[in-house]
Amino acid sequence: AGASKFRIELRSVNHRFLDLKIRVPREFQSLEPRFRALVQGRFLRGSLELKFERSAQDSGTTEAEPALEVNEARAREALLACRRLAALIGTNEPPAIRDIAGFPEVIRVRGAEELDLEREWKDRIEPALSLAAGRLLEMRETEGANLAKILLEQVRELRKSIEDRKSTRLN
């Protein structure tokens, strides 16, 4: 199986308080508190959205070979669960394929290796997230400085306009 790659997207808009939304794949849910702590340690305010996505790199599959596989045992369990639920609520409606496929682990990526989340976090995710947070902070500082220049120029123009009006009234 090939190594995996991931993508971190960190967006921010102005907000009085810190409002952080985090989206990570199911297999990384246990790391969500770490994502949250790292971002909260860097930002005091703003509406931030952190999106973490993982995709398999070249896993050695050919085009004819599907990248997804069905976990047959899990699919049977899901089917039985749906049938038990139908009986419980008194319906004869058969479960739809999309319902069965939607159960966790019924359809999985072929060759997906078990992740060592601790190692992934320490070696790859945390450094990448720190870099993304640092870049976002730099962008926010640059944007703030540019906004400050614009506001100061508007204040100067307003003062000049006020002074011009005062001088025309005195004359």
Side-chain angles (χ1 to χ4, degrees):
S4 65
K5 62 181 179 177
F6 57 86
R7 173 183 140 118
I8 294 175
E9 186 176 318
L10 191 56
R11 296 177 175 204
S12 170
V13 294
N14 196 17
H15 194 276
R16 277 179 64 189
F17 306 102
L18 181 61
D19 178 25
L20 177 58
K21 294 172 186 72
I22 298 175
R23 294 189 342 213
V24 297
R26 181 179 299 123
E27 64 266 25
F28 289 89
Q29 288 293 317
S30 64
L31 293 178
E32 187 172 330
R34 294 182 187 194
F35 282 97
R36 185 170 301 284
L38 192 147
V39 173
Q40 286 176 334
R42 295 291 229 9
F43 297 90
L44 298 175
R45 57 188 305 261
S47 178
L48 283 91
E49 180 182 338
L50 186 150
K51 186 168 35 170
F52 177 84
E53 297 172 335
R54 176 179 180 253
S55 62
Q57 286 181 344
D58 180 16
S59 61
T61 60
T62 64
E63 279 189 42
E65 185 181 10
L68 300 176
E69 64 185 7
V70 175
N71 179 338
E72 292 179 32
R74 188 72 171 150
R76 278 191 215 96
E77 291 173 11
L79 177 61
L80 290 173
C82 286
R83 286 180 177 162
R84 283 193 304 267
L85 177 61
L88 181 68
I89 61 174
T91 182
N92 292 330
E93 184 179 328
I97 292 293
R98 72 176 172 277
D99 296 330
I100 304 299
F103 275 79
E105 305 301 319
V106 168
I107 296 179
R108 59 186 174 203
V109 176
R110 181 181 308 282
E113 68 280 355
E114 288 297 314
L115 291 172
D116 178 351
L117 291 181
E118 192 63 39
R119 191 186 82 234
E120 284 285 312
W121 174 261
K122 186 176 139 253
D123 295 349
R124 301 178 65 215
I125 299 170
E126 184 180 29
L129 181 56
S130 290
L131 180 63
R135 286 182 178 168
L136 180 59
L137 282 169
E138 289 172 10
M139 289 171 42
R140 284 173 46 153
E141 287 174 8
T142 300
E143 184 180 355
N146 290 338
L147 188 57
K149 287 178 189 176
I150 292 168
L151 290 174
L152 286 173
E153 183 57 37
Q154 289 178 349
V155 167
R156 283 189 205 104
E157 289 176 18
L158 186 59
R159 283 184 178 156
K160 184 179 181 315
S161 176
I162 291 170
E163 291 300 318
D164 289 348
R165 286 186 185 174
K166 282 183 183 177
S167 66
T168 55
R169 283 190 203 157
L170 294 175
N171 293 335

